């Protein structure tokens, strides 16, 4: 497996993974209306815009030109010393093989090497697999809040890694 920075050429595959992952992971956790309105075309625009912002970072995990997963991250809007893990998606067939862990570590290493003290991530309540992974990798519960997905509200929580040195 190779982890590298995402490029514009990766957008189509990232968008398809993002949509399929959302439709399986968040079924029953967010509104059907939100999930039904997700399309690869809309996702492609989102990720193209995301990549064009010089503050944001995206990495992809690939094996033999096949996309296994990606992580998107950016400065946290609450503090200039916190890096925010914005999105992590692993293709269904590749889950449980350490790809998510490797991508989280990549984002954590970047944050540590670029002057950030902490890293945060938000999780929709009910997405226990993701939460379990983040906690296993050293994150802790910071706060609970109500998030918005299109016109529906969902309960979420923000987790925080207090010490990025665990990613060295």
């Amino acid at each position: 497996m190779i982890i590298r920075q995402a490029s514009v050429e990766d957008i189509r595959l990232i968008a398809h993974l993002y949509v399929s992952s959302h439709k399986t992971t968040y079924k029953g956790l967010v509104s059907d209306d939100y999930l039904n309105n997700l399309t690869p075309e809309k996702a492609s625009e989102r990720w193209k815009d995301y990549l064009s912002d010089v503050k944001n970072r995206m990495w992809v995990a690939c094996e033999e030109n096949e996309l296994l997963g990606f992580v998107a991250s950016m400065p946290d809007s609450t503090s200039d010393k916190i890096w925010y893990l914005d999105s992590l998606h692993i293709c269904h067939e590749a889950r449980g093989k350490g790809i998510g862990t490797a991508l989280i570590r990549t984002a954590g290493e970047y944050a540590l090497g670029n002057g950030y003290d902490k890293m945060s991530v938000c999780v929709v309540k009910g997405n226990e697999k993701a939460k379990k992974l983040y906690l296993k990798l050293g994150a802790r519960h910071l706060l609970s809040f109500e998030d918005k997905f299109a016109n529906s509200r969902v309960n979420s929580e923000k987790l925080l890694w207090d010490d990025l040195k665990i990613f060295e």
Side-chain angles (χ1 to χ4, degrees):
M1 173 185 64
I2 295 171
I3 295 178
R4 61 172 173 74
Q5 281 203 328
S7 68
V8 174
E9 291 78 25
D10 298 314
I11 295 292
R12 186 182 60 79
L13 294 174
I14 288 169
H16 280 277
L17 175 55
Y18 177 79
V19 170
S20 67
S21 179
H22 262 72
K23 290 187 179 200
T24 55
T25 302
Y26 296 113
K27 184 147 185 69
L29 300 179
V30 301
S31 76
D32 287 343
D33 185 49
Y34 169 77
L35 294 174
N36 292 335
N37 283 309
L38 280 177
T39 65
E41 295 76 25
K42 289 179 186 174
S44 288
E45 285 305 310
R46 175 184 192 239
W47 293 115
K48 186 177 168 187
D49 290 346
Y50 198 93
L51 259 185
S52 70
D53 188 327
V54 296
K55 295 175 291 204
N56 299 344
R57 294 289 179 270
M58 286 180 75
W59 293 273
V60 292
C62 301
E63 193 168 77
E64 298 177 17
N65 294 329
E66 180 184 347
L67 178 69
L68 303 175
F70 76 93
V71 65
S73 56
M74 60 195 279
D76 190 303
S77 63
T78 64
S79 168
D80 59 359
K81 288 296 186 180
I82 301 175
W83 189 246
Y84 178 61
L85 200 157
D86 186 24
S87 203
L88 174 70
H89 295 279
I90 310 301
C91 71
H92 186 73
E93 305 78 33
R95 291 184 184 168
K97 297 181 179 177
I99 295 162
T101 297
L103 287 166
I104 293 165
R105 288 191 177 285
T106 299
E109 289 169 4
Y110 174 85
L112 180 63
N114 286 275
Y116 293 90
D117 295 334
K118 301 173 188 213
M119 185 166 72
S120 65
V121 66
C122 293
V123 183
V124 172
K125 290 207 176 177
N127 187 357
E128 293 305 315
K129 282 188 176 183
K131 181 180 176 180
K132 183 179 175 182
L133 175 61
Y134 300 139
L135 294 175
K136 177 182 151 193
L137 293 175
R140 67 168 177 85
H141 173 83
L142 180 64
L143 58 92
S144 295
F145 66 99
E146 192 174 76
D147 206 353
K148 197 172 177 185
F149 282 75
N151 293 325
S152 66
R153 298 191 179 281
V154 292
N155 291 320
S156 296
E157 64 182 300
K158 191 168 193 175
L159 306 177
L160 186 72
W161 283 271
D162 287 307
D163 183 5
L164 294 179
K165 289 182 181 160
I166 63 169
F167 296 115
E168 286 183 310

